[in-house]
Amino acid sequence: MSRRASSLLLVLVALAWLGSLALRPLYKPDEGRYGEIPREMAASGDWLTPRLNGFKYFEKPPLQYWATAAAFKVFGVSDWAARLWTGLAALAGVLMVFAAGNRLYAPPAGAFAAAILASSPLYVLLGQFNTLDMSVTLFLSAAVFAFALAQRAASEPAVRRRWMLAFWAACAAAVLSKGLIGIVLPLGAVALYVPARRDWALLRRLELVRGGLLFLLIAAPWFVAVSRANSEFAHFFFVQEHWLRFTTRMHHREHPAWFFLPVLVAGMWPWLLAVIAGWVAALRPAPGKEFSPALFLGLWALVVFAFFSGSGSKLPPYILPLVPALALLAGRLLARGPRSGLLMAQSLLVAAAAMATGGGAWRLTGAGDGALYGLGDDYAPWLAAAATIGLAGAVGAAALAALGRAAGAVASLAAGALAALLVASGGHAVFAPAYSVAPLVASLAQAPSRDAAIFAVQAYDHTMPWALRRTVTMVGYKDELEQAVAWEPDRFIPDLAAFARAWNAEREAYAFFAARDFERLRRELDLPMEIAARGPRYVIVRKP
């Protein structure tokens, strides 16, 4: 492919990726949370202490908050701007895999790796979702790729030093993105590689002094400043949100040790066979002590997978940082020689998944209420369209593979999978009433004034302040903010009696109630109120 054609393709992918970020409102809980924190940061001008619904929020470091708050300053507060940092990080990761693949191996390894990454379901969907996982994945991947490039340049001290300093800087950015995993995981991969390869001399090439100072210069200032301003921070962040989260089940996210296996299978399904073959090949390097980038990346993937499998808190996005490395190893494998049989088999797997998805779309029709809130009929056409696109890409890939055109097969499979995922993700907006209060707030005949008091009574989700573009007063339900409420109890109403007094004292007031509890609470409170909007999950009332 010519340089002009490659540039045009990149522009089209970027437009599709970024243009689809606003197709649905931010969902609960993560998207609402990570939109609202930077909104409050930008509104208050306090870029040091993160706050969520007015409460101190110390679970995560601030890099994504800063980036998103800056986006709000430039583009205004919107769902698209809230997801912009995630979308840009995902695209940057694809470009980085392309560059690293071509530097570590001969082309077209980089192009194949980029195509694989840009069409892997776990990566694509999280690249459309406002969480911190894509940001930390970008910087962790930058760290391990920089490390591999540094060791490949071991005979050129100046080049090696530059790449190692890039490694330490990327680790610092990863720490500022999501915490201590930003340094623990990369050093864990190094600690596993050295004895596995018996390359003890590598330890002398780590640039520990210069790199360590650079790491601290980038990562430490915010931690020092926020600790000085908030005495609660250090214990909560380092002990509770790192040590106790990993070693206990305090967040009730416990799952069996094999939990991430199906996540990884589904998350890389369009390339599963190539990923498995590429990872196995990486663990069989040529004998000797020469640095093996493939072995290092294979061990990196193993470290990430094992670390989170051993944690007491497990969520599917946690293993995203291993996906770029696996994509590069799969791209390396496909670039090393004819892989028609492998690509044909992979195309059959994608075709089977597409047909199963089409069947699932059919079953959504008339699915009724329950978890789908009666919205299955609206989503069925989107899912059927995604299945059709994915099937077309798989059929095209199989035909091209049969003709021995590996590059065309990779392109067809990747294009079909990426387009199908973007259609399925964008169409999910039909479920917005089940995952966000934004449609409910938009249905209000009269929006609350800036002086109105707004309460969330025995129910709360993080899309409430985001949809209203202001904080709400929580009543009787603390959600994940229990510790934060303990720090600032005056911001919280503990019971219904106190809520009744506050309601009666306000001239203009609105309140959210869970739909399932509304009639019971209305009878129990016996307050003057009228229904302003009703949705599948919440009822909004106002004071007459």
Side-chain angles (χ1 to χ4, degrees):
M1 185 179 292
S2 68
R3 182 181 297 272
R4 178 176 296 179
S6 299
S7 300
L8 178 61
L9 178 61
L10 175 62
V11 169
L12 291 175
V13 170
L15 288 175
W17 200 300
L18 298 179
S20 57
L21 295 177
L23 292 180
R24 55 179 176 78
L26 300 190
Y27 281 177
K28 69 176 184 77
D30 288 352
E31 288 204 295
R33 178 194 303 124
Y34 298 128
E36 177 62 14
I37 294 171
R39 187 201 68 78
E40 294 182 32
M41 186 174 281
S44 68
D46 181 1
W47 295 64
L48 178 63
T49 301
R51 287 186 175 271
L52 175 59
N53 196 35
F55 292 98
K56 294 179 181 180
Y57 191 82
F58 294 140
E59 289 197 10
K60 298 294 185 292
L63 182 57
Q64 182 157 329
Y65 307 153
W66 291 340
T68 305
F72 291 157
K73 290 288 190 180
V74 175
F75 300 107
V77 178
S78 67
D79 296 325
W80 182 82
R83 292 193 181 107
L84 182 59
W85 175 250
T86 294
L88 290 175
L91 290 172
V94 172
L95 290 175
M96 184 173 60
V97 164
F98 174 81
N102 284 341
R103 280 181 173 272
L104 292 171
Y105 308 104
F112 284 178
I116 291 168
L117 184 62
S119 54
S120 294
L122 188 63
Y123 192 85
V124 174
L125 295 178
L126 287 174
Q128 296 280 304
F129 206 78
N130 184 30
T131 70
L132 308 183
D133 300 285
M134 188 57 70
S135 177
V136 74
T137 294
L138 172 66
F139 292 117
L140 284 174
S141 299
V144 296
F145 292 151
F147 184 88
L149 289 165
Q151 303 313 312
R152 280 288 296 269
S155 60
E156 304 174 70
V159 176
R160 173 182 56 78
R161 183 175 299 114
R162 286 197 295 269
W163 281 117
M164 280 306 304
L165 292 178
F167 163 82
W168 287 103
C171 288
V175 168
L176 285 173
S177 294
K178 208 177 178 185
L180 296 182
I181 61 168
I183 188 65
V184 170
L185 294 180
L187 292 184
V190 174
L192 187 59
Y193 176 89
V194 169
R197 193 66 166 169
R198 295 183 175 85
D199 185 6
W200 306 104
L202 185 150
L203 297 176
R204 297 194 297 271
R205 305 195 296 268
L206 294 182
E207 294 291 338
L208 284 174
V209 176
R210 292 187 185 91
L213 289 175
L214 179 62
F215 173 85
L216 291 175
L217 183 65
I218 296 171
W222 177 78
F223 288 97
V224 173
V226 76
S227 297
R228 288 172 61 90
N230 302 274
S231 59
E232 318 94 331
F233 171 80
H235 181 272
F236 181 84
F237 183 83
F238 292 108
V239 177
Q240 179 169 318
E241 289 304 304
H242 280 76
W243 177 249
L244 294 180
R245 179 188 284 256
F246 183 84
T247 59
T248 71
R249 299 178 177 181
M250 59 179 290
H251 286 287
H252 307 293
R253 297 169 181 168
E254 61 271 17
H255 295 285
W258 49 262
F259 173 76
F260 288 112
L261 278 175
V263 173
L264 188 59
V265 168
M268 304 208 74
W269 184 260
W271 306 101
L272 183 62
L273 299 179
V275 164
I276 294 172
W279 183 73
V280 171
L283 298 183
R284 298 173 178 172
K289 292 186 178 181
E290 182 180 355
F291 182 77
S292 170
L295 176 60
F296 177 70
L297 294 177
L299 293 176
W300 159 253
L302 183 62
V303 165
V304 175
F305 190 88
F307 179 88
F308 289 112
S309 294
S311 172
S313 177
K314 298 182 180 70
L315 288 175
Y318 287 0
I319 60 165
L320 184 65
L322 62 77
V323 173
L326 290 181
L328 196 152
L329 294 176
R332 165 182 176 262
L333 178 84
L334 293 176
R336 291 174 71 182
R339 300 288 175 179
S340 297
L342 178 63
L343 287 170
M344 289 183 68
Q346 187 65 69
S347 299
L348 291 176
L349 282 183
V350 175
M355 289 186 285
T357 301
W362 177 261
R363 290 183 62 85
L364 282 178
T365 304
D369 294 325
L372 299 180
Y373 293 95
L375 300 169
D377 284 351
D378 295 330
Y379 189 56
W382 290 92
L383 201 57
T388 302
I389 293 169
L391 181 60
V395 170
L400 290 166
L403 295 174
R405 298 174 60 181
V410 169
S412 179
L413 202 57
L418 174 59
L421 290 164
L422 291 179
V423 168
S425 173
H428 203 273
V430 302
F431 290 113
Y435 295 97
S436 171
V437 302
L440 184 63
V441 170
S443 72
L444 288 170
Q446 179 180 348
S449 72
R450 298 308 301 174
D451 296 327
I454 303 179
F455 303 92
V457 183
Q458 293 191 351
Y460 174 80
D461 77 48
H462 294 307
T463 65
M464 290 177 181
W466 169 254
L468 292 162
R469 304 294 194 260
R470 51 162 297 173
T471 59
V472 303
T473 301
M474 302 167 68
V475 178
Y477 177 66
K478 301 174 183 177
D479 192 60
E480 64 172 300
L481 297 173
E482 183 173 2
Q483 181 61 72
V485 169
W487 293 332
E488 299 175 290
D490 292 345
R491 296 176 179 270
F492 180 75
I493 295 179
D495 52 45
L496 293 178
F499 164 67
R501 292 192 295 271
W503 181 266
N504 288 326
E506 295 291 342
R507 184 183 63 83
E508 181 186 1
Y510 289 76
F512 286 84
F513 290 85
R516 64 179 181 274
D517 300 327
F518 174 62
E519 295 301 335
R520 174 182 61 82
L521 290 173
R522 178 159 65 170
R523 290 192 302 270
E524 185 176 339
L525 287 165
D526 192 26
L527 293 172
M529 60 178 62
E530 59 185 23
I531 295 176
R534 184 190 290 269
R537 296 173 53 239
Y538 293 104
V539 176
I540 301 178
V541 301
R542 62 171 166 250
K543 187 175 180 180

